[in-house]
Each structure stands twice: as C-alpha cells, then as structure tokens.
Amino acid sequence: MKREPFKQRTCKNQSTDAEHSGGVMHSSDENAVMAVEQKHDLIRPKEGTTVKQDDLRPEAKPFEIPKRLIYDAWKRVAANKGAPGVDKESIQVYQRNLGGNLYKLWNRMSSGCYYPLPVKQVLIPKGDGFRSLGIPTVADRTAQMAVKMLIEPRLEQIFHPGSYGYRPGRGAKDAVAQVRQNSWRYDWVLDMDIKAFFDTIDHELMMRAVEKHVPERWIRIYIRRWLECPIQLENGEMESRTCGTPQGGVISPLIANLYLHYAFDHWMRRNNPGVSFVRYADDIVCHCRTKIEAEKLLENLKERLEDCRLQLHPVKTKLVYCKDNKRKGMYPLTRFDFLGFSFHGRTVQDRKGNLFTGFNPGVSRKSLKRMNESLRALKMYRNTQVTLPELAERINPMVRGWIDYYGAFYPEPLKRFLIRIELGLGRWARNKYKRLRGHKRRSWTWLKRYRATLPGMFVHWNYLFQQGHG
C-alpha cells in the first residue's frame, strides 16, 4: 500500500483554532447551537418525549439523521467497551462531555462534514505471525454503530442461511454444529481459506453491493470514507488504503458479510444449489458427495473468487475425506479445523454402550496450544502470596470461556487439558505450604478436601469431577 501523509479534511467555514491547539475542530455555528441544544438535552430525550418531537425542530441539514439514533449507537459502543483510537480518547473520557460529543458527531454527520480519523493499528499474535486490527476512535465507532443499526435488519433478510458469522442470534457453536451434521451426511469436505480476505476486499465492488441495498446517500458516503480511511501504523506512520476494510471496526464484519454474500453465497445458490456449505465470515466449509464433485467445485470457485478480486490460499485450502466407522476409504487427508475445533474420526459411544468411530469435532491442537500458553503466562505456581480463592478468581473467567465453547462438542480432549490446571494447583500448594513440599500425594489430598467442601470454587472442578472422575 502507498504511504503518504494524512491531511485532516475540514468543512467550509470551519474554525481552525481547535486544530492549532490540538483540540477537536468545530464550526462557529455549532458552538452557538450547542449551547441551546445542551440546555434542552436533545441527545438524551426527557421522560415523556418522543424521537419525533425532538426531530420536529427545524434544522438546515442536508441529511436527516435522528439524534436518538446516535445516542442508542453510543450506548452499544459503551457496552462493548474497547480500546481508544488514534486520539487516545477512551470510553470514560468521551463520556465526560457526552452531550457535547454526541451533538458534534450528529451535527457533522447530518451536515455531510463528518470525516473519520485514521484507524489505529494493533497487532495481535496469530500462529507464527500477527494479525493486524484497525481500531477506530470512540466517535467513529459510534458513527459506524448508527449505520449498522439502520442497515443490518434489511441485510439480514437477504443473507444465506448457511452464513453464521457476526449475525444476530447466530454464533460459532451453531456453525460447528451444522458442519458436524453435514459431515455425517456427506463424504467429502472442501475446506476453504481466502487469503488475506479483509485486506483485499475491492472497494468498488463493495460499494456496488452497498448501493444495491442502501438508498440513503449519507450512509453510502460514510461507508466509502470508512473504507478509504488511512491506518496509523504502530511506528506512527500513516498508510493509505486502496482496498480492504480494517478488522476491528464496527461496520467491517457487516459489509464483509455483504461482500461474500455476492462473491460466494449468492453464487453458490445460483450455480451449485445441491452443495451444502457453512460460512463463518471468511471461514468456509463446503460439503460434497464425491471427490469429483469437490474437485470441480474447487476449480469453479477459484475462477469465481478471482473475478471478485479474491484468492484462495494455495496451501490451507484442501479436500478432506470424512473417514469414520462406515466410510473406510484410504485418502491422505481425513481431518480439518474449523473455528477452533478439529474434525476427524473419534471413538464415541452409542446409546447402547457400543464403541464406534464417528466423525466429530473436538478442541483443535492449535487451540490447545493457545490455551496452554495462556495458562503458562499466569505463572500460577509462583503466585504463593495469594490464597486459593483469590487464585480461583484469576483463573475462572478464562477457564469458564473454554468450557462453555470447547466443551460443547466431544469434551474428552478438553478434560485431558484441564487436568493440567489440577497439576498446577498441586504445584502451587507445594510451593506455598511447607508441610506439603516434596509430597505430591499430600497436595492432591489437600486439594481433594477443598473440592469436597467447596466444589464450585474452580469452574473446572464440577466439569471434571462431578461424574466421578476424581
């Protein structure tokens, strides 16, 4: 991407005093109106008033945007929390002058003078490398949330039932459950990985999809500005963007879903109606009856995605045979990963108690590795200055999330991993208490007494030992 200095855009007749002093710029008209507006508290309607009454006041604005929409959007942004953007203004700081800040945002959006600040780059570990997130400012997140609240309901009506990512009432566990059902019915899986999807979305194709469903001119204008907004790298340099949408923005998952709806979902419905698929954002699994059908689909999809300025990852995209007790063909690839789960043949028990090999999801090796790194980062056995209940308060939120998600399907690999926490607690007890040092068996007995007395202290205790595993 081409790097170039970022220049703040201003509206006509806009005061630059704040700009020179490092503050937020606003027009002289805005100051005069703000004083009146804040007295009447129009951002937060009083009890007994309605949005229509607020909006009946004459405003010479080119775009009609309800003030209540901006306030409701702010409430969602505040509930989601999140880090500050390039302006270093946190949720708490923004809230100190909430009425004035929301009014300025509404005024600029209604006037067409709203230009987002650059997004802040944040690098998070992903495998052997890093994933780049783009964090907008609190004000920009509020503006994006307002647009999302307006257009999401209408887009939900057109989205494919096989799409699960970032949609209301749907989640990753629903997608995993559907892939499990499909894997029992179909012998072959096309496990697709789109290379750098969020970084390669074509802006013109994206806007064509937006314009098809969004008649409001102001929404189209601001979506394009968000797409073209530069990113501030970690070293402080500005990088312009000609394609892609930053992961981390409020609007990005929704418009990315819209892009793939036309690039993939709609195309599949029209050209391959007999092929079932599950898509969670850019993670896609297609289910085919035969290897020939899967190979043909792969070739056709390569051409289709290239037409949409996208590319399949040459290494991560693969054909997988769903081998189990009934499907005993010999093929090199018989497992695949999806949303943190690994699908392959596992020993399971039927209702009559008979053991057989079923094709089921369980926590993947990559997920186990990340979880183990999280546990090691706590250095639990060294925290001897805390009590056992205090240690539980530190560990439980993380472990509760693991159990809730990965424990939903084939829990045995997760249970084997959680035993490591027990081993760590035993080591912690031996380090803390002199009478237990050098005595593993005593430390296990000491922990067992705690489990019997306070079984809910650690969330993994009930999960591991409630069925007599202890």
Side-chain angles (χ1 to χ4, degrees), residues 286-388:
C286 299
H287 301 269
C288 302
R289 294 178 175 82
T290 65
K291 185 180 180 181
I292 295 176
E293 182 184 21
E295 291 173 336
K296 183 179 179 181
L297 177 62
L298 176 57
E299 293 301 316
N300 292 337
L301 278 171
K302 286 180 180 179
E303 296 179 5
R304 170 58 182 174
L305 293 179
E306 286 177 0
D307 292 340
C308 298
R309 316 293 192 269
L310 300 174
Q311 182 182 0
L312 287 177
H313 197 290
V315 177
K316 297 181 180 180
T317 299
K318 53 186 179 292
L319 299 179
V320 179
Y321 179 66
C322 302
K323 186 176 181 178
D324 57 17
N325 200 53
K326 296 181 179 179
R327 297 170 289 190
K328 301 181 179 181
M330 301 299 294
Y331 295 95
L333 295 178
T334 56
R335 64 186 299 160
F336 66 94
D337 288 357
F338 181 67
L339 300 182
F341 289 89
S342 182
F343 287 76
H344 61 86
R346 302 176 185 273
T347 301
V348 293
Q349 190 176 47
D350 63 16
R351 295 178 181 177
K352 297 181 180 180
N354 300 317
L355 299 179
F356 68 98
T357 301
F359 200 83
N360 284 286
V363 56
S364 68
R365 295 170 182 171
K366 290 183 179 179
S367 299
L368 288 173
K369 182 180 178 180
R370 288 195 297 268
M371 292 157 60
N372 188 51
E373 290 173 351
S374 299
L375 276 182
R376 294 184 65 179
L378 291 176
K379 297 181 180 179
M380 182 168 54
Y381 61 92
R382 294 185 181 179
N383 292 326
T384 54
Q385 73 279 6
V386 301
T387 64
L388 193 64

Side-chain angles (χ1 to χ4, degrees), residues 35-174:
V36 178
E37 294 286 349
Q38 289 177 355
K39 288 181 181 178
H40 292 282
D41 195 16
L42 293 184
I43 291 296
R44 183 196 292 268
K46 295 182 178 179
E47 293 185 6
T49 65
T50 65
V51 176
K52 290 184 178 180
Q53 288 174 330
D54 290 339
D55 294 335
L56 285 175
R57 298 178 183 272
E59 298 284 355
K61 306 293 183 185
F63 303 127
E64 295 183 3
I65 302 176
K67 297 183 183 73
R68 183 69 194 215
L69 175 66
I70 304 301
Y71 178 66
D72 289 342
W74 150 256
K75 289 194 295 184
R76 293 195 186 185
V77 170
N80 293 337
K81 300 180 180 180
V86 295
D87 59 356
K88 300 180 181 180
E89 190 173 45
S90 65
I91 294 284
Q92 293 75 18
V93 173
Y94 191 86
Q95 197 169 14
R96 291 173 188 170
N97 184 26
L98 183 60
N101 286 331
L102 294 184
Y103 177 78
K104 284 185 285 188
L105 178 61
W106 168 83
N107 188 41
R108 291 174 181 173
M109 293 183 71
S110 300
S111 304
C113 294
Y114 165 72
Y115 285 91
L117 290 175
V119 295
K120 177 183 177 182
Q121 183 188 53
V122 176
L123 299 177
I124 61 173
K126 179 186 178 183
D128 297 331
F130 293 90
R131 170 182 290 172
S132 177
L133 298 183
I135 308 301
T137 64
V138 175
D140 292 335
R141 294 206 295 270
T142 303
Q144 292 185 19
M145 182 64 77
V147 170
K148 179 184 176 183
M149 291 168 62
L150 282 180
I151 68 175
E152 185 176 54
R154 69 182 75 161
L155 295 181
E156 275 295 311
Q157 298 178 12
I158 67 161
F159 282 161
H160 194 280
S163 170
Y164 288 83
Y166 308 108
R167 296 184 59 187
R170 292 182 163 222
K173 288 194 290 186
D174 300 319

Side-chain angles (χ1 to χ4, degrees), residues 393-408:
E393 290 180 2
R394 297 184 183 184
I395 298 174
N396 280 344
M398 180 171 57
V399 178
R400 185 179 292 109
W402 293 343
I403 293 175
D404 179 64
Y405 185 63
Y406 296 112

